[in-house]
Amino acid sequence: DNKIIIAIDGHSSTGKSTVAKQLAKALGYIYVDTGAMYRAVSLYAMRKKIIDEFHFDQEALEKDLPEIDLRFKINPETGLAEILLNGENVEREIRTLSVSKYVSKIAAISSVRKKLVEQQQKMGVDKGIVMDGRDIGTVVFPNAELKLFMTATAKDRAERRFIELRERGEDVTYEDVLKNVVNRDHIDSTRKDSPLRKAEDAIKIDNSNLTLKEQFEQILQLAKTTV
Ligand code: C5P
């Protein structure tokens, strides 16, 4: 049949995963959140004291890479995939602001990217997949049939993320969240290996002034005309 690959990239907290999940559900596709994979590696490094506020032992991380096993498992209650780090469900823990503080440093390491990109490419061999991240349309699936690049103003993105973190009970300030969003975008866009950028053939979507429903309908239309 004519299943396709949909690659969704963009800046931090642009609602990529929200639209990717909606799209996967509507099309009966698999959804893969690649940010969760980089976040899980970061959580591993934090727990092992490989990274903290003052130091980052890149060599120790590279040495441990073969021992980091990442898998996705469907939660039967929600129908959504959750990430397992060496068998442990860390879906909640990887979403904290402290993981967000270190993840872009971890994601800049080429050996980390190589390992995760290989795993991501294997997940796409049968197509019928919606994958979101920073390098999906440029590196992971340069031949994806539909590529989207999502953006919105930093203020809009930080506001959304702030509300989300507060709803989950995290004691964060709006300023901290804004700083993190801007800082991650900077590191992600300026790193040497697979910097965040719009693929030439990606469709840019600025959702600052779109409701979730409007955005979803636009994108679903695009997907249907691509198939
Ligand atoms: O998508 P999310 O915001 O959860 O991603 C967290 C971080 O993981 C990003 O800021 C980026 O540093 C890294 N990432 C990446 N490549 C991807 C997905 C995420 O470098 N494909």
Side-chain angles (χ1 to χ4, degrees), residues 41-54:
V41 174
S42 304
L43 181 64
Y44 176 96
M46 289 161 70
R47 286 175 171 177
K48 284 268 211 142
K49 312 236 183 297
I50 287 171
I51 194 166
D52 64 24
E53 237 177 294
F54 309 105

Side-chain angles (χ1 to χ4, degrees), residues 63-74:
K63 195 166 151 276
D64 274 11
L65 272 183
E67 270 136 68
I68 303 178
D69 178 64
L70 303 175
R71 273 162 220 262
F72 287 98
K73 190 172 169 250
I74 304 283

Side-chain angles (χ1 to χ4, degrees), residues 71-145:
R71 273 162 220 262
F72 287 98
K73 190 172 169 250
I74 304 283
N75 176 335
E77 270 165 45
T78 60
L80 291 170
E82 298 186 344
I83 192 155
L84 307 184
L85 166 62
N86 292 334
E88 176 191 352
N89 189 323
V90 293
E91 185 62 34
R92 264 190 81 83
E93 213 175 334
I94 58 165
R95 308 287 165 193
T96 58
L97 187 60
S98 65
V99 171
S100 297
K101 278 186 184 149
Y102 300 117
V103 64
S104 290
K105 278 194 189 166
I106 301 285
I109 308 304
S110 286
S111 51
V112 172
R113 303 204 67 82
K114 185 167 178 286
K115 175 184 167 96
L116 301 199
V117 167
E118 276 172 18
Q119 195 177 345
Q120 291 154 10
Q121 288 171 333
K122 282 187 193 144
M123 296 190 258
V125 287
D126 295 326
K127 300 205 176 183
I129 192 168
V130 185
M131 191 175 275
D132 80 351
R134 302 294 186 289
D135 61 339
I136 312 306
T138 52
V139 175
V140 181
F141 297 122
N143 297 321
E145 288 82 359

